[in-house]
Amino acid sequence: MADNQLWPKTAVEWTPPRDLAQGGTALPKYNFRSGAGGILLMPGARGFDAPPFMLSYDEMPGIDGAIPRNVRAGSRELFLPLYLYGADRPSMLAVKREFLASLNPAFGPGRLTVTEGDGSSRWIEAHYAYGAEGDEETEVSGFTWCKYGLVLRAMDPYWYSSETVERTFRDSVGDLKPFFSDPFFGLNINRTYTLNQSVTLEVSGDVETWPEWRINGPVSGVTFSRQDAGGAVESFTMDLSLSPTQAAYIDTRPGRKQAILLDGSETNLWEKLGPNPNLWAIKPGSNTVTLAVQGTGVGTSINLSYRPRFISA
């Protein structure tokens, strides 16, 4: 049987939790598909496709069937059958000890990145759960090798695109700012829209995702609105004045929500969003979005940035 029939993915890479926790751009440390570093992914991996979904419903007396109430995706388990090896006992022990230390969930989740032969890449963050306790049976351990059935638990069950999508809203399409802004949202094609009018955003991915916003002054206030297909409107307002040299950042992602001033001080601006702000998500497909901005001038722009999320790798 051809090797690509056993596992068609060209790369399955692991970035340790400690590297992610240090911030910045953390590069993968292990490529399980190539076996580089003395660790090889064997056939039998599981959990890379759809996550488990939980259905809430009510059974009705005297009526066939049930009435659905809610659907949500639960956390996901990923199973990785790994083969660790070395040229001799000391080198195998070095590989094993370093790898086991890299799993430590006390530092948070690590990142598993899958790259296909066409170059498309998706990642998921997961905590080590169990499977590396060790077994001295002859079928799973030898003098210069050992096997683990590693189990990871992804609290967020969705896979993320390795590419960031960015969209820019301006008063005038000709009023351009440098592409390499701070923070830098990634290399991608940046489509431009106009402020103070409804626009249609086409969002890729399988499920909703939460955007990040950068507001470049001058502005004296912004209302961010999204209208769904049924006509219902979600919105929140930033009641803040920014000079032409100032910028603010709003992160709407669950577990990371924040609003700060991008002046080096990272002044907390959460109170400028009002009580219980509805930091809405964008849905796959067409989204009608309006950014109502007061006090615009030369240089005013708002950047929207998001990562598409997918059901499978």
Side-chain angles (χ1 to χ4, degrees):
M1 182 179 291
D3 183 61
N4 63 0
Q5 290 178 289
L6 293 175
W7 190 263
K9 298 170 174 56
T10 46
V12 179
E13 299 171 301
W14 173 250
T15 305
R18 193 167 189 173
D19 293 353
L20 287 182
Q22 291 174 352
T25 303
L27 298 176
K29 186 170 184 178
Y30 298 98
N31 185 347
F32 299 147
R33 184 67 179 85
S34 69
I39 305 175
L40 182 66
L41 179 66
M42 300 183 294
R46 298 192 301 271
F48 285 69
D49 293 333
F53 283 91
M54 301 178 182
L55 309 179
S56 299
Y57 56 90
D58 294 333
E59 299 280 0
M60 305 299 292
I63 301 176
D64 293 338
I67 298 176
R69 295 298 183 190
N70 184 50
V71 179
R72 72 177 188 87
S75 62
R76 174 199 296 262
E77 269 196 359
L78 300 113
F79 174 73
L80 303 176
L82 299 178
Y83 180 82
L84 282 66
Y85 62 94
D88 49 37
R89 182 69 176 177
S91 61
M92 190 278 285
L93 289 175
V95 168
K96 180 174 72 170
R97 288 166 177 167
E98 183 179 29
F99 176 62
L100 295 182
S102 82
L103 298 175
N104 190 349
F107 292 106
R111 179 174 293 173
L112 195 67
T113 303
V114 173
T115 304
E116 290 285 353
D118 62 358
S120 63
S121 182
R122 297 177 181 180
W123 56 259
I124 193 169
E125 292 186 352
H127 293 77
Y128 164 71
Y130 60 91
E133 295 84 0
D135 191 334
E136 297 300 321
E137 291 289 337
T138 56
E139 294 84 359
V140 293
S141 180
F143 191 67
T144 60
W145 61 274
C146 65
K147 297 178 182 179
Y148 292 129
L150 207 66
V151 175
L152 307 177
R153 171 70 66 174
M155 305 305 172
D156 180 345
Y158 297 116
W159 293 83
Y160 286 75
S161 172
S162 292
E163 296 184 355
T164 301
V165 177
E166 185 179 350
R167 298 291 181 256
T168 301
F169 296 76
R170 302 181 190 280
D171 246 355
S172 168
V173 173
D175 175 23
L176 298 178
K177 284 197 165 214
F179 179 76
F180 293 96
S181 56
D182 180 21
F184 179 55
F185 287 120
L187 290 171
N188 43 68
I189 296 175
N190 183 3
R191 186 173 298 171
T192 301
Y193 299 93
T194 304
L195 296 169
N196 292 310
Q197 63 179 251
S198 295
V199 300
T200 299
L201 293 178
E202 294 297 331
V203 175
S204 57
D206 297 331
V207 295
E208 75 277 4
T209 188
W210 280 262
E212 300 169 68
W213 301 92
R214 176 186 169 124
I215 304 95
N216 300 295
V219 302
S220 58
V222 185
T223 297
F224 302 78
S225 301
R226 175 190 174 274
Q227 183 176 353
D228 66 21
V233 176
E234 303 174 289
S235 66
F236 66 94
T237 297
M238 185 189 74
D239 184 14
L240 175 70
S241 292
L242 297 174
S243 73
T245 60
Q246 289 182 308
Y249 170 73
I250 301 173
D251 190 343
T252 69
R253 294 173 296 173
R256 302 185 184 185
K257 291 183 172 72
Q258 64 171 331
I260 59 173
L261 192 64
L262 295 176
D263 62 352
S265 68
E266 296 191 349
T267 302
N268 189 346
L269 302 177
W270 190 259
E271 63 178 14
K272 302 297 183 180
L273 300 179
N276 301 317
N278 182 8
L279 304 182
W280 40 265
I282 46 180
K283 308 295 178 67
S286 298
N287 292 256
T288 301
V289 173
T290 305
L291 303 186
V293 185
Q294 295 80 48
T296 63
V298 175
T300 300
S301 68
I302 297 179
N303 292 71
L304 175 155
S305 171
Y306 74 92
R307 284 188 185 272
R309 300 200 302 167
F310 300 94
I311 283 179
S312 65

